[in-house]
Amino acid sequence: MCCSRKTSVTPLGGEDGTFDYDLAVIGGGSGGLACAKEAVNHGARVAVLDYVTPSPQGTKWGLGGTCVNVGCIPKKLMHQAALLGESIHEAISYGWEVPSPDAIKINWSALTEAVQNHIKSVNWVTRVDLRDKKIEYINGLGEFKDPHTLVATLKNGTKRELTARNIVIAVGGRPHYPDIPGALEYCISSDDIFSLGHPPGKTLVVGAGYIGLECAGFLNSLGFSATVLVRSVPLRGFDQQMALMVTNEMEERGVAFHHKCIPLSVEKLESGQLKARWQNTETGEQAEDVFDTVLMATGRYALTKALNLPAAGVTAVTGSGKIAAQTEQTDVAHVYAVGDVLEGRPELTPVAIHAGRLLARRLFADGLQHMDYENVATTVFTPLEYGCVGLSEEAALDRYGEESIEVYHAFYKPTEFFIPQRNIRNCYLKAVAERGGAQRVLGLHFVGPVAGEVIQGFAAAIKCGLTMEQLMNTVGIHPTVAEEFTRLNITKRSGKDPNPASCCS
Amino acid sequence: MISFVNIEGFDEFAKYTESIDQKGPPVLFYFSGSKLPDGRSWCPDCVEAEPIIKAFLDELKKNVIFVYVDVGDREYWKDKACPFRTDSRTKLMVIPTIIKWKGVQRLEGSQCTKRELLQMLFEEDD
């Protein structure tokens, strides 16, 4: 079979009538569902396989994938709960009469109930949508039997076989557990935290990627003491100056960080609490402490092992288990991959959704457009958020060299922070740009409130080729924090003080 | 065995919810606009849905309580402050709506006319 199919539309249904479906999608998450729904819009017969293997602690969830059930959605809700708790106290400085501020505390079970109810209603709406669109939903763990045949194993053990002309692998990933004593038996992960049946109490978070930091952040704000073990650096891969702002803010709010530390073991004490031991990899020093909860946030791995890819002939699998597929096309002509399972692509819901839709259009609607994975904006929802789009300063220096880069930066003071005297020390932003000409913007970075809202519009601007000249000629909206991007004028190179003189000047 | 209950208005609805046996069969509420003298509802979507739902229920072999709730006349429903719209137990945005009591599952508007969706709502256990 020729592998260079470019624009020919996949014949639908009964051309040779040999396949049950035009498209089978393995994985009912962000990427898989978007691809499936777009495909039916163009007349394809589609089946979606989705299955959640329970976490080591036994947690399971419904249709919708990581984002809906144990990712973006519950994370944002808990982040919001944490922010609201802070707001109640800030309100006092604005004149609100709040009875017994010291008595204000979070009811963990009310929080998780509200969050889980929302998730369940999203699961329901998702299932109604699939049924309404006549997409067959099979609640089974899918694997390949041969290049066009999948076998789904249902919860009760029965197996269901189906054939499809095209197959999209959208299985995503799951949390990785370090291979240390006690990890699987006693520790939880992001799979479990959002439905934890008891308040987490004093928590150790192992891992300082965005998942670890976001969890430690909201737990701390909700009133549960949080400690973070950082193996190398926080938010590895992100701009490190901004990562430092984020962790400084967390530390100033009471989150403890142990840098260059790896976990050694977790044991359960008679009290039911957990004793965790760790080691500083630079000094060799060991330490331990007792916690109520230990949350592993040490990375995620792609769920490709259970797929039996060899049966499909798919060999483009990297050492990490991810699938190498430049245009979402694997090394087998009719087998594709979207979402977190892909090697070298941002692990983000909107990326999976967009790529899934474009793929479906190429397969079933004469679509020509390919996914642009460059300049994808994202936000880390730590207590003080970090939003960014484009290159980090390090990546820009690496790619262009110091002489060809100009970095504009500033500290700023959100108007709303003055009255409650909120900490402004970590409110900072920068633009990384080409040094010559109109200075094309290569990356924008912002630490502050509502960072996601601030950065989103600028992602579109960067797509249009935004230059510093244009940015500086954009009139800001006042008073906002986003306007600070339009006020950037001090370069790192000048050595001038990036601290704000005063508002409005 | 389907048990049929007829309720008129919000007060009767609220009172009924207090009498629901938590351990009893699932309760499904169907909110519809009231009937005009000719026997049809003032709400055209409800007129469309009712025979389809009736036919579905005739074939349903499950132990459920189907509660038909007459929401009221058009002016009452259209009022933003209508308790069926504002009360957190119902939070109706559209009629007809079918709600599974104490569950997140509901069908709204034209969803109520689709057999596969009625199947999902009535036949599945949580």
Side-chain angles (χ1 to χ4, degrees):
Chain A
M1 196 62 219
C2 172
C3 302
S4 62
R5 181 185 347 137
K6 289 184 193 69
T7 63
S8 58
V9 175
T10 315
L12 295 179
E15 183 104 347
D16 48 346
T18 51
F19 299 114
D20 298 323
Y21 298 96
D22 300 305
L23 174 68
V25 179
I26 316 177
S30 304
L33 292 180
C35 187
K37 292 187 207 178
E38 183 70 19
V40 296
N41 281 349
H42 300 290
R45 263 170 327 146
V46 182
V48 169
L49 282 65
D50 188 70
Y51 190 80
V52 179
T53 304
S55 74
Q57 293 302 322
T59 309
K60 332 191 265 261
W61 50 89
L63 181 65
T66 296
C67 174
V68 166
N69 294 287
V70 288
C72 329
I73 301 300
K75 173 266 293 284
K76 190 81 191 285
L77 295 175
M78 293 216 164
H79 173 62
Q80 177 66 1
L83 292 177
L84 288 170
E86 286 163 21
S87 295
I88 299 174
H89 292 281
E90 273 174 50
I92 298 169
S93 63
Y94 276 88
W96 281 100
E97 293 181 0
V98 178
S100 340
D102 295 332
I104 294 174
K105 56 183 172 48
I106 192 69
N107 180 322
W108 178 258
S109 119
L111 172 60
T112 49
E113 189 180 329
V115 169
Q116 290 305 313
N117 271 344
H118 174 68
I119 292 171
K120 287 193 176 76
S121 76
V122 176
N123 295 144
W124 167 255
V125 167
T126 305
R127 287 192 27 237
V128 166
D129 200 20
L130 288 194
R131 195 70 103 90
D132 207 22
K133 294 183 155 77
K134 312 270 189 279
I135 296 172
E136 168 116 39
Y137 159 49
I138 299 166
N139 188 202
L141 189 64
E143 64 175 289
F144 283 91
K145 183 179 172 185
D146 68 46
H148 284 281
T149 308
L150 296 176
V151 177
T153 303
L154 310 182
K155 195 163 84 164
N156 57 15
T158 57
K159 291 186 194 286
R160 180 155 157 204
E161 239 180 64
L162 56 140
T163 59
R165 188 186 311 280
N166 298 282
I167 297 176
V168 171
I169 299 168
V171 296
R174 289 294 286 273
H176 162 268
Y177 278 71
D179 186 16
I180 59 166
L184 288 169
E185 301 93 299
Y186 307 125
C187 302
I188 64 166
S189 72
S190 57
D191 282 352
D192 314 292
I193 186 68
F194 304 111
S195 56
L196 199 62
H198 54 270
K202 179 179 168 190
T203 303
L204 176 68
V205 174
V206 182
Y210 77 88
I211 296 175
L213 293 188
E214 286 176 348
C215 287
F218 70 68
L219 287 174
N220 182 62
S221 300
L222 292 173
F224 305 110
S225 137
T227 303
V228 179
L229 292 187
V230 186
R231 180 178 64 180
S232 60
V233 294
L235 295 177
R236 190 162 57 94
F238 284 87
D239 187 289
Q240 283 301 293
Q241 181 195 17
M242 307 309 283
L244 185 61
M245 300 276 171
V246 167
T247 54
N248 280 348
E249 178 76 16
M250 290 174 69
E251 256 178 320
E252 283 154 24
R253 287 163 186 248
V255 177
F257 284 85
H258 297 300
H259 293 273
K260 307 288 194 247
C261 288
I262 55 168
L264 294 174
S265 64
V266 177
E267 73 181 83
K268 195 157 191 173
L269 304 176
E270 243 181 71
S271 62
Q273 288 181 299
L274 301 173
K275 179 151 83 165
R277 285 189 70 81
W278 58 86
Q279 177 165 46
N280 185 309
T281 53
E282 278 180 349
T283 64
E285 219 179 287
Q286 290 193 11
E288 65 180 42
D289 197 357
V290 175
F291 300 90
D292 297 306
T293 300
V294 176
L295 192 155
M296 292 298 185
T298 51
R300 294 173 66 82
Y301 68 96
L303 292 174
T304 43
K305 211 150 149 220
L307 286 172
N308 191 14
L309 289 174
V314 173
T315 61
V317 182
T318 66
S320 67
K322 288 189 166 199
I323 296 181
Q326 272 308 304
T327 55
E328 298 82 44
Q329 162 92 68
T330 67
D331 50 336
V332 174
H334 66 279
V335 179
Y336 305 86
V338 291
D340 286 6
V341 79
L342 283 174
E343 172 69 34
R345 300 307 196 188
E347 289 176 30
L348 298 167
T349 276
V351 169
I353 290 175
H354 205 69
R357 281 200 192 126
L358 291 178
L359 174 64
R361 280 179 215 160
R362 292 197 303 276
L363 290 178
F364 300 108
D366 283 327
L368 296 171
Q369 196 185 338
H370 279 272
M371 178 68 185
D372 179 6
Y373 289 97
E374 294 291 303
N375 295 322
V376 172
T378 188
T379 295
V380 180
F381 292 96
T382 35
L384 197 61
E385 300 171 10
Y386 167 36
C388 60
V389 57
L391 299 179
S392 64
E393 193 173 331
E394 297 94 318
L397 286 170
D398 206 55
R399 200 185 285 194
Y400 296 87
E402 204 192 327
E403 293 308 305
S404 307
I405 296 291
E406 195 76 90
V407 181
Y408 291 82
H409 69 154
F411 285 91
Y412 65 94
K413 299 179 187 165
T415 306
E416 301 87 354
F417 279 32
F418 288 103
I419 289 176
Q421 296 177 309
R422 275 189 66 175
N423 180 20
I424 47 130
R425 231 189 326 265
N426 302 301
C427 291
Y428 176 83
L429 76 163
K430 69 182 178 185
V432 179
E434 283 176 352
R435 193 172 174 191
Q439 301 193 316
R440 188 169 65 100
V441 175
L442 303 167
L444 294 172
H445 300 266
F446 177 89
V447 169
V450 296
E453 309 296 354
V454 169
I455 287 288
Q456 180 66 90
F458 289 109
I462 287 201
K463 237 179 161 53
C464 299
L466 180 72
T467 63
M468 285 309 297
E469 190 176 323
Q470 288 168 324
L471 186 55
M472 285 161 154
N473 275 310
T474 301
V475 179
I477 302 170
H478 185 71
T480 64
V481 294
E483 67 173 310
E484 298 297 333
F485 274 111
T486 66
R487 287 160 52 97
L488 282 171
N489 62 96
I490 290 174
T491 63
K492 283 196 176 179
R493 180 171 271 116
S494 70
K496 293 205 192 114
D497 179 10
N499 279 291
S502 67
C503 167
C504 317
S505 67
Chain B
M1 249 299 294
I2 305 179
S3 316
F4 290 91
V5 178
N6 278 296
I7 300 244
E8 218 176 283
F10 190 81
D11 290 337
E12 222 181 284
F13 161 76
K15 198 149 156 257
Y16 178 79
T17 61
E18 282 154 36
S19 72
I20 294 177
D21 176 9
Q22 310 282 21
K23 300 199 201 79
V27 179
L28 290 116
F29 286 95
Y30 173 63
F31 298 92
S32 177
S34 49
K35 300 271 165 61
L36 299 167
D38 70 356
R40 287 149 61 91
S41 171
W42 57 262
C43 156
D45 296 333
C46 303
V47 170
E48 199 196 329
E50 201 162 308
I52 299 172
I53 295 171
K54 273 207 160 62
F56 174 78
L57 291 175
D58 280 341
E59 298 165 21
L60 182 65
K61 294 188 180 17
K62 213 175 174 240
N63 208 7
V64 301
I65 301 175
F66 181 79
V67 184
Y68 179 101
V69 181
D70 177 342
V71 161
D73 61 31
R74 172 183 254 123
E75 293 84 86
Y76 179 78
W77 164 249
K78 291 288 183 193
D79 183 3
K80 279 200 306 258
C82 174
F84 284 108
R85 290 182 187 270
T86 57
D87 193 275
S88 61
R89 288 165 290 186
T90 50
K91 274 282 191 227
L92 298 190
M93 289 187 288
V94 114
I95 49 171
T97 292
I98 311 176
I99 289 179
K100 187 168 190 178
W101 187 245
K102 287 297 174 205
V104 295
Q105 299 93 323
R106 66 169 58 192
L107 294 178
E108 292 175 328
S110 62
Q111 289 179 339
C112 301
T113 64
K114 301 184 181 175
R115 278 198 69 93
E116 329 82 73
L117 302 187
L118 292 172
Q119 258 172 343
M120 273 179 66
L121 181 62
F122 282 85
E123 291 177 11
E124 284 176 9
D125 297 307
D126 288 326

